C-alpha cells in the first residue's frame, strides 16, 4: 500500500469512526479527547453535536494542527495521568484508536472515568479473522484498521475484544454499550471477536 493510499483510507475510516462516537455524545456536552491528533474529532463533534472541550496531545505538529482546526488543545503526555483535570470535570472522555499506542493502559482507563462520567474507546481488534489468517501465514497483519507494517507501527499493544473486556472487568469498569464493525463498515453481531475489525465501547463506573 502506498503512502497516499494509506492516507486516503485512513481519512475515510476516520470519518466513520467519528460518526459512531458522535452517536454516543449528547448535544452540548463537555468532551476531553485524549491523543487528539490534529483535533479533527473535536472539530467534528463541535460542528455536529455542539460540544465544547479540549484535546490532549503530545506531538508538536499535531498541536499546531489543533490550532489550525480551531480546537483548544493542551500539550501533555497522557501516559503520566490526567492530574491536571479535576474529578467529573467533563461529561465524556474519548480515546479514539489510540489506546493501542499507550503503555499505561490501566492508568489511562481509570483516569478517564475519574474526570468524566463516561468514556468512549475505539480500537482495532487484533483477533479479527483477517488478522488471524495473516498470522497463520507467518506475517504480522496489515489491514484497514491496522494499516502499518510491523517496522513502522506506532502501536505498542495488540489486544482483542475479549482482552479488553477482561481488563474492564478487572478494573471494575462497566461496559454500557459495545459496537463492532468489519472492514467494510458493516456492524457485526455474531462473534465480534472473530468478525469485528474495529470495536467501540461506551464505558462507565460500576455503581
Amino acid at each position: 500500500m502506498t503512502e497516499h493510499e494509506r492516507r486516503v483510507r485512513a481519512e475515510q475510516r476516520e470519518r466513520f469512526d467519528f460518526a459512531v462516537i458522535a452517536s454516543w455524545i449528547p448535544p452540548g456536552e463537555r468532551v476531553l479527547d485524549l491523543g487528539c491528533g490534529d483535533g479533527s474529532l473535536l472539530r467534528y463533534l463541535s460542528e455536529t453535536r455542539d460540544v465544547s472541550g479540549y484535546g490532549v496531545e503530545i506531538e508538536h505538529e499535531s498541536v499546531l494542527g489543533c490550532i489550525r482546526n480551531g480546537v483548544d488543545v493542551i500539550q501533555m503526555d497522557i501516559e503520566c495521568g490526567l492530574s491536571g483535570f479535576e474529578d467529573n470535570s467533563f461529561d465524556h472522555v474519548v480515546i479514539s484508536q489510540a489506546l493501542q499506542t499507550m503503555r499505561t493502559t490501566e492508568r489511562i482507563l481509570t483516569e478517564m472515568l475519574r474526570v468524566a462520567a463516561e468514556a468512549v474507546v475505539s480500537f482495532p481488534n487484533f483477533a479479527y479473522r483477517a488478522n488471524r489468517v495473516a498470522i497463520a501465514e507467518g506475517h504480522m497483519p496489515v489491514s484497514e484498521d491496522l494499516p502499518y507494517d510491523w517496522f513502522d507501527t506506532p502501536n505498542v499493544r495488540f489486544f482483542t475484544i475479549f482482552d479488553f473486556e477482561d481488563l474492564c472487568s478487572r478494573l471494575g469498569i462497566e461496559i454500557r454499550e459495545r459496537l463492532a464493525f468489519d472492514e467494510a463498515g458493516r456492524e457485526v453481531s455474531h462473534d465480534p471477536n472473530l468478525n469485528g475489525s474495529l470495536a467501540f465501547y461506551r464505558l462507565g463506573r460500576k455503581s
Side-chain angles (χ1 to χ4, degrees):
M1 184 187 301
T2 67
E3 185 60 32
H4 175 71
E5 290 172 331
R6 178 184 290 175
R7 190 179 305 114
V8 169
R9 290 188 179 190
E11 288 174 357
Q12 293 171 340
R13 204 60 168 168
E14 184 178 74
R15 283 284 161 172
F16 169 77
D17 187 33
F18 291 177
V20 175
I21 291 170
S23 71
W24 284 338
I25 309 292
E29 285 205 335
R30 283 180 53 77
V31 174
L32 184 67
D33 182 13
L34 303 180
C36 67
D38 66 0
S40 295
L41 172 58
L42 267 180
R43 181 175 178 177
Y44 178 88
L45 292 175
S46 176
E47 292 171 350
T48 62
R49 310 299 283 172
D50 194 31
V51 308
S52 61
Y54 295 91
V56 176
E57 179 56 58
I58 192 170
E59 297 294 338
H60 181 68
E61 286 302 315
S62 295
V63 170
L64 293 177
C66 288
I67 294 169
R68 287 192 291 268
N69 274 323
V71 169
D72 291 329
V73 61
I74 299 169
Q75 188 170 19
M76 61 179 285
D77 184 359
I78 62 175
E79 299 270 21
C80 297
L82 303 176
S83 59
F85 300 101
E86 296 182 359
D87 295 358
N88 301 309
S89 50
F90 294 90
D91 299 298
H92 273 90
V93 179
V94 177
I95 187 162
S96 170
Q97 297 195 54
L99 191 63
Q100 71 275 8
T101 69
M102 302 290 136
R103 297 184 183 279
T104 57
T105 311
E106 295 176 63
R107 181 176 189 176
I108 290 168
L109 290 171
T110 301
E111 282 283 87
M112 289 174 75
L113 288 170
R114 179 185 63 79
V115 303
E118 285 196 344
V120 174
V121 177
S122 67
F123 60 86
N125 172 35
F126 199 65
Y128 179 51
R129 64 166 67 244
N131 298 338
R132 299 187 194 196
V133 169
I135 292 171
E137 293 176 347
H139 300 281
M140 288 296 288
V142 177
S143 66
E144 293 286 347
D145 297 309
L146 289 168
Y148 298 94
D149 290 306
W150 67 269
F151 52 83
D152 67 353
T153 180
N155 300 326
V156 298
R157 305 284 187 223
F158 294 95
F159 54 95
T160 73
I161 284 175
F162 285 173
D163 292 331
F164 183 75
E165 294 185 0
D166 285 345
L167 179 60
C168 286
S169 178
R170 281 172 34 202
L171 296 177
I173 293 174
E174 179 181 66
I175 296 172
R176 295 181 175 171
E177 197 166 352
R178 180 191 70 198
L179 294 171
F181 299 86
D182 65 15
E183 286 185 284
R186 296 180 294 248
E187 186 174 350
V188 172
S189 56
H190 175 66
D191 197 355
N193 197 52
L194 174 66
N195 298 312
S197 177
L198 190 61
F200 294 79
Y201 284 83
R202 185 169 66 91
L203 307 173
R205 308 181 196 102
K206 283 187 178 178
S207 54

